């Protein structure tokens, strides 16, 4: 067992604890360069099925242009046996692959660099994590493992990668001819072979984010908007479906001023501006951010329409015009996925046509200001780089051709289930005063106006890194790939991105983060979580499982969906290991699917068996009569995606707890935060609603009769369907070589 130099340990411990009290600046570029390295390395480590799946890897070992030589098989087995205690399986597979199956010194170097840097990031996160019990030990280990007494969590990439330390080590190892020499030197490498678990037994042996824990922020969890029957009726009275039109001249299409907010109830009802921006903090926060913006606004929004979206769009454009007059470089960028609308097309398209027309110098309202050229950019999100959400390659049965595209374009949901599901706004991202807001809230009347949602507001370095995370989305939207360009929707209406290709470089430059050391804005630490535009980053599931593993007292969660097998298995394992762990889930009835609880019922019986409590919010089903005389109904959703553990850690964002979200089929964004005051408020509200029978009710699967294709099934058939679907979800990833 290796022991730390006691004097080194004490000196580092003292310096770390004294410096942790105040973090005046934060180095953005070291974290950005770290993430860029891992993104560029991703195809080499995980690009092939053989590198993602043990089963596919085993098949690759058996076959190489007919049959793999027996000597190669034996070499691979020996390599695995010698390295498996020191190298994680996910990295060991590509090491063996690039050394034996398809030899490539360059790819092996990248894989070894990936391994070494990952080890150091593990230490970085144990140092920076607010709830870590191994800060001093991890910092001392970081210095010893790297051999650099000037290394800190803020400069790991520059001290080890830019300096050449890790690349040179990896190059020397990759060039070794004999396998025994290779395995011995990998094991004895001062980073790979460092006995982290002996030095700090409580160390978390992995990193969950390449960007790491980001200190120096101010955070606020925003969850309040009116969900009452009166609010639902307010939106129904201004319905946008089946013969209705958005009337831009109405008073309720106006953003309220601060003075109007203060005296809103005294204003005659027929003259009141939009109610949500006067009454609901979750929407008022968006308006406040627009007001504060001085340099830029970036928005990536999934559902955006109706009176809510229309009021916001009009205000956003008018404010952009005003701010452009003060700052000639001011720019607003809106990114939106036109391929999927979840039956909200009638609400959304009038708003996007309004935005398009304002950009083109036209106006739906007389007297509106002309939008200066280049000040407002509307981009369609490129969803083609996501992995299909439809399982087992079934989407490949539909050929991608012009005729099929015309039919697909008419539908409300993209057939491959690839979606940009983000709900994000960032202001002044590259100025050192950035603010970001993201969560589960959509901006349409009937999919957001009265739903239960959460959003997180952040000011500080993490907000800047939110904008950095969307650089690749803008790059993808401005694709020059002709095959991808063919699959943008509604191009004949002017919603394609071709007109912006000539401005590609300048638009990318405007979104790119060039700042480095910036002043901090508060004392809160956050860790960003996402499924990015092409699936190279998808860390939300792992972050939630890590929270569940570390739970000691309780876990409280609100979720629209609860059918991800990995999360549910983690809950069950946690309860088996700690029977006193209090696990409570507020779920949604999934009324919009019309199947009496499916898909949330799939794993419910198993969860209940192990003592995991599940309740549901008492949501409303509201009938509506449309202008054309037809009738319908709307289901209110518990649309939240939030989990807290032990009152110490909370994760919130746009990610549903289902396979599509976590595997990278959807573009998602969220964050983990540690502000005790904010978490305590969430947990108090959660428990208050849990115990209030007027707000929540039991969500039982026993005796539940599912409805499929409009037909109610028996209890026995319903239970069988849940079991079959559960088994399919359990084997899906194995069959797909994920």
């Amino acid at each position: 067992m290796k022991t730390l130099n006691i004097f080194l340990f004490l000196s580092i411990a003292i310096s770390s604890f004294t410096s942790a009290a105040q973090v005046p600046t934060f180095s953005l570029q070291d974290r950005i360069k770290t993430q860029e390295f891992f993104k560029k390395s991703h195809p080499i480590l995980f690009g092939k099925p053989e590198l993602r799946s043990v089963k596919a890897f085993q098949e690759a070992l058996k076959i190489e242009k007919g049959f793999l030589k027996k000597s190669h098989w034996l070499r691979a087995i020996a390599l695995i046996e010698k390295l498996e205690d020191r190298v994680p399986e996910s990295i060991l597979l590509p090491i063996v692959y690039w050394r034996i199956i398809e030899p490539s010194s360059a790819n092996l170097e990248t894989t070894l660099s990936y391994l070494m840097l990952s080890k150091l990031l593990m230490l970085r996160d144990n140092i920076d994590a607010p709830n870590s019990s191994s800060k001093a030990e991890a910092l001392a280990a970081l210095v010893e493992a790297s051999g650099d007494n000037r290394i800190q969590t803020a400069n790991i990439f520059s001290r080890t990668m830019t300096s050449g330390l890790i690349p040179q080590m990896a190059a020397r190892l990759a060039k070794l001819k004999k396998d025994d020499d290779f395995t011995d030197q990998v094991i004895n490498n001062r980073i790979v072979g460092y006995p982290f678990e002996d030095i700090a037994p409580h160390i978390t042996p992995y990193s969950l984010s390449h960007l790491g824990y980001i200190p120096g922020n101010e955070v606020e969890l925003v969850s309040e908007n009116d969900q009452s029957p009166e609010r639902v009726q307010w939106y129904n009275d201004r319905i946008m479906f089946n013969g209705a039109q958005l009337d831009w001249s109405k008073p309720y299409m106006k953003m309220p001023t601060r003075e109007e907010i203060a005296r809103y109830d005294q204003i005659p009802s027929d003259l009141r501006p939009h109610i949500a921006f006067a009454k609901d903090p979750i929407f008022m926060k968006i308006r406040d951010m627009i007001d504060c913006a001085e340099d830029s606004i970036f928005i990536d929004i999934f559902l955006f329409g109706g009176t809510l979206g229309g009021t916001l769009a009009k205000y956003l454009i008018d404010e952009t015009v005003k701010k452009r007059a003060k700052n000639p470089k001011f720019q607003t960028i809106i990114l939106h996925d036109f391929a999927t609308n979840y039956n909200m097309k009638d609400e959304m398209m009038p708003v996007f046509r309004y935005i398009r027309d304002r950009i083109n110098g036209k106006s739906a309202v007389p007297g509106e200001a002309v939008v200066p050229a280049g000040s407002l950019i509307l981009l369609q999100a490129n969803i083609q780089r996501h992995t299909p959400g439809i399982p087992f390659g079934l989407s490949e049965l539909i050929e991608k051709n012009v005729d099929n595209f015309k039919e697909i374009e008419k539908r409300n949901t993209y057939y491959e289930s690839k979606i940009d599901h983000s709900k994000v706004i960032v202001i002044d991202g590259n100025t050192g005063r950035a603010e970001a807001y993201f969560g589960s809230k959509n901006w349409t009347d009937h999919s957001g106006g009265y739903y239960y949602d959460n959003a997180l507001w952040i000011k500080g370095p993490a907000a800047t890194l939110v904008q950095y995370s969307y650089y690749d989305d803008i790059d993808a939207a401005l694709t020059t790939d002709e095959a991808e360009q063919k699959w943008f929707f509604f191009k004949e209406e002017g919603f394609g991105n071709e007109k912006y290709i000539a401005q590609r470089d300048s638009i990318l430059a405007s979104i790119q983060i060039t700042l480095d050391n910036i002043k901090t804005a508060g004392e809160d630490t956050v860790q960003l979580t996402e499924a990015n535009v092409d699936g190279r980053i998808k860390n939300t599931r792992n972050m939630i499982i890590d929270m569940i593993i570390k739970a000691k007292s309780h876990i409280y969660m609100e979720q629209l969906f609860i059918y991800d097998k990995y999360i549910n298995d983690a809950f069950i394992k946690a309860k088996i290991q700690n029977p006193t762990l209090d696990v409570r889930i507020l779920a949604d009835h999934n009324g919009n699917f019309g199947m009496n609880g499916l898909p949330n019922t799939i794993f419910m019986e198993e969860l209940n068996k192990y003592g995991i409590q599940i309740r549901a919010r008492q949501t409303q089903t509201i009938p509506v009569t449309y202008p054309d005389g037809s009738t319908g109904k709307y289901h209110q959703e518990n649309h939240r995606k939030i989990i807290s553990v032990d009152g110490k850690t909370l994760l919130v964002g746009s990610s549903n707890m289902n396979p599509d979200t976590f595997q990278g089929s959807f573009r998602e964004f969220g964050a983990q935060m540690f502000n005790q005051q904010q978490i305590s408020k969430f947990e108090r509200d959660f428990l208050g609603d849990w115990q209030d029978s007027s707000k929540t009710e039991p969500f039982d699967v026993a005796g539940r009769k599912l409805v499929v294709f409009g037909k109610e099934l028996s209890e026995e058939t319903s239970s069988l369907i849940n079991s079959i679907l559960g088994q399919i979800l359990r084997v899906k990833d194995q069959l797909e070589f994920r």
Side-chain angles (χ1 to χ4, degrees), residues 316-362:
L316 176 67
I317 296 172
D318 289 343
E319 287 299 302
T320 296
V321 173
K322 294 176 185 177
K323 294 173 188 296
R324 181 75 167 209
K326 294 180 180 179
N327 176 4
K329 294 184 179 179
F330 188 92
Q331 187 177 68
T332 294
I333 297 177
I334 303 172
L335 185 67
H336 172 69
D337 175 7
F338 285 86
T340 297
N341 60 70
Y342 286 167
N343 299 307
M344 293 291 151
K345 186 183 293 184
D346 288 349
E347 277 197 342
M348 295 203 297
M349 291 311 294
V351 173
F352 282 105
R353 291 184 186 111
Y354 170 82
I355 297 171
R356 175 203 63 194
D357 290 347
R358 288 289 301 270
I359 292 172
N360 293 334
K362 302 176 184 178

Side-chain angles (χ1 to χ4, degrees), residues 454-489:
N454 301 101
L456 185 66
W457 172 82
I458 297 176
K459 183 176 183 179
T464 298
L465 290 172
V466 176
Q467 180 160 308
Y468 154 71
S469 294
Y470 279 84
Y471 178 91
D472 286 349
D473 297 74
I474 303 299
D475 181 56
L478 296 171
T479 180
T480 56
D481 185 307
E482 293 182 0
E484 289 182 333
Q485 287 178 346
K486 290 178 181 178
W487 280 76
F488 284 114
F489 283 57

Side-chain angles (χ1 to χ4, degrees), residues 666-682:
F666 290 15
R667 203 315 180 207
E668 307 283 8
F669 203 87
Q672 192 181 57
M673 63 96 154
F674 309 88
N675 182 296
Q676 302 299 291
Q677 184 178 5
Q678 298 288 319
I679 297 172
S680 294
K681 181 181 185 305
F682 164 75

